[in-house]
Amino acid sequence: MLKSTIELHRQGDLDAAESGYRAFLAEHPSDNEALRLLGALRYQKGDRDGAIDLLQRSHDAAPEQPAPLLTLGKVYFDSRQFDQARDALSKALTLDPNQGGAHTTLGHVALAQGDTRLAEQHFRTSLRAGDDPHAFAGLAMVACDFGQVDTAVKNANQAAQMQPQDPLIQFTLGRALLLNGNHAFAEQAFNNALALRPNFPQVHHALGMLMLDNGRPTEAEQQFGRLRSEPGFEVGATVGIADAMRAQQRYDEAIPLYQSALAAAPGWEKVVEALLFCQGQTQQLGDALTLLNQQVEAGGEREGFWRNRRVLLCTHLNLLEMAIADNEWLHEGEPDELQYQENLGYLNEQVGNFEAAEPFVAAVLAKNPGSPEMGLVRIREALRNSDFDSASDRLDALANKELSEGQRRLLENYRGRVADHNAEYATATTHFLAAQRGLQSLLPALSDIPESIDRWLDAPAGPVWEHAPTLLIGTPGSGVERIAALLADQPTLAVPRDRVADRDRRDLFGAPAFDHSDADISDDEIQHIRDEYVGPARAMGIPPDLRQIDWLPRWDARLLTLIHRIMPGTKIIVADRDARAALVDWMAFGWLRTAPVNDLSAATEWLARAREHMLYGVDRPGPQHLVVDAEAIAVDPAGAGDALARFVGLDKLVVGDNFKRGATGVGGLPVRFAGDHWRNYSDPLADSFAKLKS
């Protein structure tokens, strides 16, 4: 009876075989072979716990027999219970040292636990007892781990020829072919493995990685998705899904998955790098800095790597003191590394520590006289000291060097400053415009101001909203950034810079979803818009007792009706000056990165229209306005800023570090022309000035 049942089992008729085994065991309950075979069958049916129980009973019935332990070790291995697998197989070898299969499975256990050398020893020991396809497959895996392509392919093919219907061997063949660059054949082998064993997590993971590499992230996500609840694969599956989302530019969805993976596996560098990338793409730079801080604080041999990354981010975020501290740490560890010396020269100059910068600048130029970055530092030094002849000579010397686009643009701007000093205003105009030409402009198109605005502004406003903000608006060249800096110095005010840092909020000012002028707005929608507006301020951690000054770098007069209807009590500060002066400063000193003067005629027309939008509503009912002369306040913030102080609810304005730092730019250079210097450009900019109203 048992013999015929074994034949049914061999032929794949598992249900009939199980009935036969159970009938036999009813009469022979302690038959170790029947218990072992039924255990193996139950495992084939997916009943791991039942299989283990039966195999343990088989071993207890015949403790001198290695076969139950061999099968039990295989079940434990397949279930990723590696310690139990090793114990069972080691006992089997104690009973019979010539069990090659035990060495084969022990080799796979060692591989799974990362001990490649021990795995290789077991596989070779197994092959001394006779050809074993799984031992050949194991050697192929070892070769894959060591990058030995030919050996991997040879052993994987040998295993596949001996036992082509084995899923593990097909998986191994796929790995070897993938290593050899045969992606199509590797994918076929992986699919063969899944056809033989549909629930094979390692294959799903390998297929997902292959599909990612081949630019098929949607299919990859499906493969990784099958592993989310697979024991031992949850974290890897989460990372795989996040990688697939990242490849599809679904960064916001990928971020929480990477974060959960790091919570389970702290310090996983691949995941940290991927998360940093996604946070950069979504402008979640504060979160990126927090993540880098954690990596640095963890210390270890990679601390220098993470400090280098933090230097780049802090430089981008203008957290230059932190960047300097990191570079000092790196320089102390590698005092001869030129890059750290150059960074310290550049960063110290950026924050105005000119004496601290000097020895590093000199050291770099002594070793590399052609350093463009240090050459620019020397040019700024000459301009700062009004040594325009030296500045001109240094500009000529640097012009023939290999420069980045940004360095080339700075060179043009500095040539413009030298020409301006020499009263060569047409030449200065040419250089100033060349410094910005070709840069992408994201300035919004401004339409004609609709007459319907007046109708809405004439309507009575509702009750003052308790969270009504004060808005700060101003065109390029108006000096609005100086007003923002001064207000940021006041201890009871908060002036977020996220909008001017190219991180527009998804609110009515960042991305309005309807026509501001004529749309009907329900009470529910008003509440939703209000909630959407206050959310980012709370997320930024602005204390509720601070009054928010919301600096809007882009303005459309149609927003007045929206504010009047949704945010009664909102105040608006308009920074203004002579439009011709604003145009010259915009041309010579720039403004936001996304708002260059890349076309003088288009910029002039936009500036004229932008001023109309900024000043519209000043003398009309609706939101309360205050027009301030940014230049006058820059010269005399206490006196000329008296009306501004009262407008924001203060007795007086305090001049602090923000305002002082804004007085000059990089290298201590001016960031605006004083007084009526714009008049010197009346000839080269005659056509533009004619289009502007004072």
Side-chain angles (χ1 to χ4, degrees):
M1 178 179 178
L2 183 59
K3 185 175 180 181
S4 60
T5 300
I6 293 173
E7 182 61 23
L8 289 172
H9 191 172
R10 189 188 66 78
Q11 293 174 1
D13 192 346
L14 301 187
D15 291 338
E18 181 170 0
S19 297
Y21 288 139
R22 292 194 182 281
F24 182 81
L25 285 168
E27 297 180 11
H28 310 281
S30 298
D31 188 280
N32 75 295
E33 184 66 3
L35 288 167
R36 184 183 72 81
L37 291 170
L38 180 57
L41 184 147
R42 289 306 303 165
Y43 185 63
Q44 285 178 272
K45 285 189 167 186
D47 180 13
R48 184 192 63 179
D49 292 339
I52 291 174
D53 179 65
L54 287 162
L55 291 167
Q56 187 62 54
R57 286 170 56 193
S58 174
H59 171 60
D60 292 342
E64 75 287 353
Q65 294 293 324
L69 291 170
L70 289 173
T71 308
L72 187 60
K74 182 70 166 56
V75 171
Y76 277 133
F77 169 73
D78 288 345
S79 305
R80 300 183 67 79
Q81 294 176 269
F82 299 128
D83 290 340
Q84 294 91 325
R86 187 174 54 250
D87 289 345
L89 294 165
S90 297
K91 288 179 183 177
L93 286 174
T94 301
L95 296 171
D96 183 357
N98 297 317
Q99 292 291 331
H103 283 290
T104 297
T105 306
L106 280 170
H108 285 290
V109 169
L111 263 185
Q113 294 186 319
D115 193 338
T116 310
R117 291 299 184 191
L118 178 60
E120 184 176 13
Q121 292 174 16
H122 278 298
F123 294 136
R124 295 198 182 282
T125 301
S126 173
L127 288 174
R128 285 200 291 269
D131 285 351
D132 181 341
H134 286 97
F136 282 116
L139 288 176
M141 290 183 180
V142 169
C144 285
D145 289 346
F146 287 129
Q148 299 166 345
V149 180
D150 292 341
T151 302
V153 173
K154 174 186 174 182
N155 283 303
N157 277 324
Q158 177 72 21
Q161 288 171 10
M162 295 176 66
Q163 199 164 331
Q165 297 304 307
D166 186 280
L168 179 61
I169 288 173
Q170 287 295 323
F171 167 57
T172 305
L173 179 61
R175 280 194 64 193
L177 292 169
L178 190 61
L179 184 66
N180 199 32
N182 297 329
H183 286 207
F185 289 113
E187 184 170 353
Q188 181 179 339
F190 290 146
N191 285 325
N192 290 342
L194 288 178
L196 294 164
R197 188 197 297 176
N199 184 28
F200 198 153
Q202 290 91 337
V203 179
H204 286 301
H205 190 274
L207 262 178
M209 297 302 295
L210 182 151
M211 290 167 175
L212 273 181
D213 290 343
N214 287 349
R216 296 151 59 192
T218 303
E219 296 174 71
E221 187 175 350
Q222 294 172 354
Q223 293 294 332
F224 292 125
R226 295 186 172 97
L227 301 175
R228 288 299 294 272
S229 59
E230 189 71 33
F233 286 86
E234 302 94 338
V235 177
T238 299
V239 173
I241 293 170
D243 286 343
M245 290 175 172
R246 176 163 56 96
Q248 298 171 73
Q249 300 183 12
R250 293 158 54 195
Y251 305 121
D252 284 321
E253 295 177 72
I255 285 173
L257 295 183
Y258 284 132
Q259 289 171 332
S260 69
L262 282 179
W268 189 352
E269 287 194 6
K270 172 200 168 184
V271 180
V272 173
E273 290 280 9
L275 179 53
L276 286 170
F277 176 82
C278 291
Q279 289 169 333
Q281 292 297 308
T282 55
Q283 294 299 307
Q284 298 179 37
L285 302 184
D287 291 340
L289 181 57
T290 298
L291 180 58
L292 281 172
N293 290 343
Q294 293 169 351
Q295 300 306 118
V296 171
E297 289 165 9
E301 61 182 23
R302 296 283 285 172
E303 181 177 352
F305 172 82
W306 295 117
R307 283 186 183 269
N308 262 310
R309 291 293 304 273
R310 191 165 69 176
V311 166
L312 295 175
L313 180 58
C314 287
T315 302
H316 178 74
L317 292 174
N318 206 36
L319 300 172
L320 302 185
E321 297 293 350
M322 182 181 288
I324 289 172
D326 276 338
N327 265 288
E328 288 174 341
W329 187 93
L330 293 164
H331 173 60
E332 183 178 348
E334 297 183 66
D336 296 328
E337 175 56 51
L338 206 61
Q339 184 61 59
Y340 302 147
Q341 297 177 48
E342 185 169 273
N343 288 349
L344 287 168
Y346 170 76
L347 290 168
N348 276 297
E349 186 226 19
Q350 293 276 302
V351 299
N353 295 336
F354 303 126
E355 290 186 8
E358 173 54 33
F360 295 109
V361 176
V364 173
L365 289 174
K367 297 177 183 177
N368 180 18
S371 168
E373 204 62 68
M374 296 300 95
L376 288 168
V377 172
R378 283 285 188 246
I379 291 167
R380 288 191 287 269
E381 177 188 39
L383 292 173
R384 181 173 67 249
N385 295 329
S386 298
D387 187 353
F388 291 94
D389 289 339
S390 293
S392 184
D393 291 342
R394 292 171 182 176
L395 283 162
D396 289 341
L398 197 58
N400 296 324
K401 305 296 182 184
E402 185 176 342
L403 306 177
S404 68
E405 179 185 345
Q407 291 167 339
R408 185 70 63 185
R409 290 183 184 280
L410 284 176
L411 209 67
E412 291 287 356
N413 181 268
Y414 298 156
R415 286 193 183 281
R417 294 179 190 237
V418 171
D420 178 89
H421 170 77
N422 294 333
E424 299 168 352
Y425 300 113
T427 301
T429 298
T430 299
H431 287 301
F432 286 142
L433 292 175
Q436 300 188 61
R437 186 173 295 114
L439 290 172
Q440 182 184 17
S441 175
L442 298 180
L443 287 171
L446 292 172
S447 60
D448 292 334
I449 301 173
E451 296 180 359
S452 59
I453 289 182
D454 290 341
R455 172 170 60 85
W456 286 111
L457 294 182
D458 288 339
V464 171
W465 182 37
E466 61 176 332
H467 299 297
T470 297
L471 307 179
L472 174 62
I473 60 177
T475 66
S478 67
V480 63
E481 65 280 358
R482 294 286 277 145
I483 301 299
L486 181 60
L487 293 174
D489 282 329
Q490 312 313 307
T492 59
L493 302 180
V495 187
R497 298 181 59 89
D498 57 317
R499 298 189 194 273
V500 295
D502 307 331
R503 299 193 294 276
D504 261 350
R505 305 178 203 168
R506 299 292 299 180
D507 60 14
L508 77 167
F509 299 119
F514 48 83
D515 188 323
H516 313 91
S517 303
D518 299 317
D520 291 328
I521 309 174
S522 68
D523 290 343
D524 287 344
E525 192 166 15
I526 287 175
Q527 187 59 49
H528 172 74
I529 294 171
R530 287 178 173 181
D531 291 342
E532 191 176 51
Y533 177 74
V534 300
R538 292 171 180 160
M540 285 185 283
I542 296 175
D545 58 333
L546 294 187
R547 182 177 180 84
Q548 181 181 175
I549 308 296
D550 198 349
W551 180 9
L552 307 179
R554 302 170 184 86
W555 178 257
D556 188 312
R558 293 178 298 168
L559 286 164
L560 288 170
T561 62
L562 205 57
I563 292 167
H564 187 58
R565 299 165 67 189
I566 294 176
M567 297 180 165
T570 296
K571 295 182 176 182
I572 302 176
I573 303 167
V574 183
D576 192 39
R577 69 187 297 196
D578 189 296
R580 294 162 293 187
L583 178 64
V584 172
D585 273 11
W586 186 13
M587 176 188 73
F589 302 103
W591 196 48
L592 300 182
R593 183 177 60 84
T594 55
V597 183
N598 57 6
D599 181 303
L600 179 60
S601 177
T604 301
E605 293 175 2
W606 186 89
L607 180 62
R609 180 156 292 190
R611 287 190 75 245
E612 292 178 6
H613 278 257
M614 297 276 182
L615 295 171
Y616 192 87
V618 168
D619 299 322
R620 290 174 172 79
Q624 184 181 354
H625 287 71
L626 174 69
V627 180
V628 298
D629 183 337
E631 185 176 13
I633 292 177
V635 174
D636 180 17
D642 183 62
L644 176 60
R646 293 196 303 273
F647 194 73
V648 295
L650 302 175
D651 293 330
K652 63 178 181 179
L653 295 175
V654 177
V655 175
D657 291 340
N658 288 301
F659 188 78
K660 292 174 183 176
R661 281 195 297 266
T664 56
V666 176
L669 300 185
V671 291
R672 67 190 57 80
F673 287 128
D676 60 356
H677 187 81
W678 62 268
R679 296 183 185 279
N680 294 313
Y681 288 82
S682 295
D683 286 339
L685 296 180
D687 291 343
S688 293
F689 283 179
K691 299 176 183 178
L692 298 171
K693 298 177 182 178
S694 61

